[in-house]
Amino acid sequence: MKKHVVFFEAFGGSDKGRDGHRKDTVPMMDYLKFLGWTAEVVMLSDDILRDFEKTKAIHEYVKNNADAYVSRVNPGNLKEEKLYFSLLRTLCSDGVIGMPHPDAMIGYGAKDALTKLRNTELVPTDTLAYYDPAEAQRIGVNWTAGGEHDFKKNFPKTLAKGERVLKQNRGSTGEGIWRVQIKDPDKYRGVSELPLDAEIRCTEAVDNHVEVRKLGEFMDFCEKYLKGDNGMLVDMTFLPRIKEGEIRILMLYKDPIYVVHKKPAEGADAFSATLFSGAKYRYDKPEQWSELVGYFLNNLPEIKTKLGNYDLPLIWTADFILDTDANGKDKYVLGEINCSCVGFTSPAEFLDKTARRVANTIINIVEDAKS
């Protein structure tokens, strides 16, 4: 065992401090060193990943010197994500422990993870994922005209049943996440499919701004989210109890660290739980949400199986929204999983404690794998 860990970061991006690194990377490295290990950051860029010789040199260096890598690259900071994942995949094949494995990042982090879980109690059964036909073919999804992955065919039907949320696969801080309502629901009461000229109210989570559009025009606009690698839209039932707050469980491997209660800003249309949109955050201990945390941990084995059976990510989150079941009782609905590069710099007083726990967990994972 080499007792050495490499942290991958990308040059640039809004997630860096004055030293050019993410604010939560150095504390993790410091605690690894305190525990007798060594750690370093390997910086990546699109130009480096496009250069075969440079990428090969990084691969050889990490393979020969590190027990594990920790990915700290925010989605969007590298355009050459496929090349990055290829590097990580090769390292994992050569015995370097991936935290997380790139296929786990895809399996847990992509929005269509929700459709893979829709036959569980966690996700509504009418949750759909839409793809461009070319992208569907690339990733092995069976796309047929008029089938469940056909956006233009299905969305007029799902919206006819009630308010929906459309989520693009890319982006952050609520960009490309739309709450969609029929402007005059009485006019279309009882129809199974809305006409393309139906007027709809569209609220984007990034800032809760509202646009009134025709359904057909809005769907044409949303086609941009389907284009390119990882293009996708997820179509879910809108849960009005989001106004009571979204509940995020921050996980360190198998253990909950803390729970964030994210209450959207006041306003009839506001539903975004991002800080940028004015949502208020409260940080609680897992024990304060024992029912939800226990429910999630009980479902963790099934989640892991349905999302590819990869090892759990190192640092990840699960977001829940309150709903009401048929008996009028509270139930929690899974709205999203994030695992590509979850930060833990807020609240500031949790940073060192969490970094210490991460360092210990990294060592435990490596030692268990090597034993």
Side-chain angles (χ1 to χ4, degrees):
M1 193 156 54
K2 307 173 183 79
K3 300 181 78 171
H4 184 69
V5 179
V6 163
F7 288 76
F8 283 118
E9 289 204 38
F11 288 105
S14 60
D15 59 337
K16 306 297 191 301
R18 291 182 179 179
D19 62 356
H21 298 300
R22 289 177 51 88
K23 294 178 182 178
D24 46 18
T25 295
V26 174
M28 288 187 282
M29 294 171 56
D30 286 345
Y31 279 108
L32 280 168
K33 294 171 184 176
F34 176 77
L35 295 168
W37 286 51
T38 56
E40 65 180 310
V41 175
V42 171
M43 300 297 294
L44 298 174
S45 68
D46 290 318
D47 288 340
I48 290 172
L49 290 168
R50 292 185 192 113
D51 188 315
F52 175 77
E53 293 301 325
K54 289 181 179 179
T55 304
K56 182 179 178 182
I58 291 171
H59 168 262
E60 290 299 314
Y61 176 79
V62 176
K63 180 182 75 171
N64 293 328
N65 292 279
D67 297 293
Y69 71 75
V70 177
S71 177
R72 303 303 288 162
V73 176
N74 252 328
N77 282 1
L78 288 175
K79 294 180 181 178
E80 296 292 356
E81 189 176 63
K82 283 198 297 185
L83 294 177
Y84 177 51
F85 283 176
S86 178
L87 170 63
L88 300 186
R89 201 171 281 114
T90 306
L91 286 170
C92 291
S93 296
D94 286 339
V96 180
I97 299 168
M99 301 186 193
H101 189 286
D103 293 328
M105 275 193 260
I106 295 170
Y108 283 82
K111 297 294 191 296
D112 65 352
L114 296 173
T115 65
K116 297 171 185 174
L117 297 170
R118 67 183 179 184
N119 292 322
T120 71
E121 60 179 334
L122 295 159
V123 177
T125 56
D126 65 346
T127 302
L128 299 174
Y130 303 128
Y131 306 88
D132 174 81
E135 173 64 6
Q137 183 177 21
R138 186 185 74 82
I139 62 176
V141 170
N142 183 23
W143 193 98
T144 57
E148 72 168 66
H149 302 302
D150 186 335
F151 174 50
K152 290 286 185 77
K153 187 67 176 178
N154 282 289
F155 189 59
K157 297 177 182 178
T158 60
L159 185 58
K161 295 189 294 183
E163 289 186 49
R164 306 292 291 182
V165 175
L166 286 177
K167 299 182 177 185
Q168 70 153 325
N169 196 34
R170 309 181 191 90
S172 58
T173 66
E175 180 185 2
I177 298 179
W178 294 90
R179 173 186 179 182
V180 187
Q181 308 161 265
I182 305 171
K183 186 180 179 184
D184 185 2
D186 289 335
K187 183 177 180 180
Y188 300 103
R189 194 172 303 280
V191 304
S192 59
E193 181 174 351
L194 291 175
L196 297 182
D197 63 353
E199 286 195 322
I200 56 175
R201 291 174 55 84
C202 311
T203 308
E204 190 174 18
V206 67
D207 57 6
N208 291 316
H209 81 276
V210 179
E211 302 175 14
V212 176
R213 296 179 178 239
K214 298 289 181 65
L215 174 59
E217 178 221 338
F218 179 66
M219 287 196 296
D220 288 342
F221 165 81
C222 286
E223 282 197 304
K224 67 181 182 180
Y225 301 132
L226 303 176
K227 302 297 183 184
D229 291 345
N230 300 314
M232 182 201 312
L233 273 170
V234 166
D235 176 8
M236 295 186 71
T237 298
F238 174 75
L239 301 176
R241 293 186 69 181
I242 183 64
K243 297 291 292 183
E244 298 175 41
E246 183 179 73
I247 306 101
R248 165 169 289 185
I249 304 174
L250 177 72
M251 296 288 295
L252 173 53
Y253 197 46
K254 301 174 183 178
D255 300 317
I257 299 297
Y258 56 78
V259 176
V260 191
H261 183 263
K262 305 189 291 183
K263 194 173 189 304
E266 297 298 326
D269 294 297
F271 76 105
S272 174
T274 66
L275 282 172
F276 183 82
S277 69
K280 303 296 184 183
Y281 282 23
R282 189 184 75 232
Y283 298 86
D284 297 332
K285 295 178 180 179
E287 295 79 17
Q288 294 173 259
W289 294 86
S290 57
E291 181 181 351
L292 170 60
V293 170
Y295 169 70
F296 177 60
L297 294 180
N298 287 338
N299 279 278
L300 208 49
E302 186 174 21
I303 292 171
K304 182 178 176 180
T305 299
K306 288 187 176 293
L307 297 185
N309 217 27
Y310 294 99
D311 203 8
L312 294 172
L314 178 64
I315 307 165
W316 58 297
T317 62
D319 295 346
F320 287 88
I321 303 168
L322 268 170
D323 195 14
T324 307
D325 67 16
N327 298 315
K329 295 183 178 180
D330 289 346
K331 69 173 183 177
Y332 293 99
V333 174
L334 181 65
E336 188 166 307
I337 293 175
N338 295 287
C339 74
S340 290
C341 191
V342 173
F344 54 88
T345 56
S346 295
E349 61 267 25
F350 283 16
L351 176 57
D352 283 348
K353 181 180 178 181
T354 303
R356 189 182 303 119
R357 290 187 64 174
V358 172
N360 278 293
T361 301
I362 290 171
I363 292 173
N364 290 338
I365 291 172
V366 173
E367 289 180 342
D368 287 348
K370 301 286 185 179
S371 63

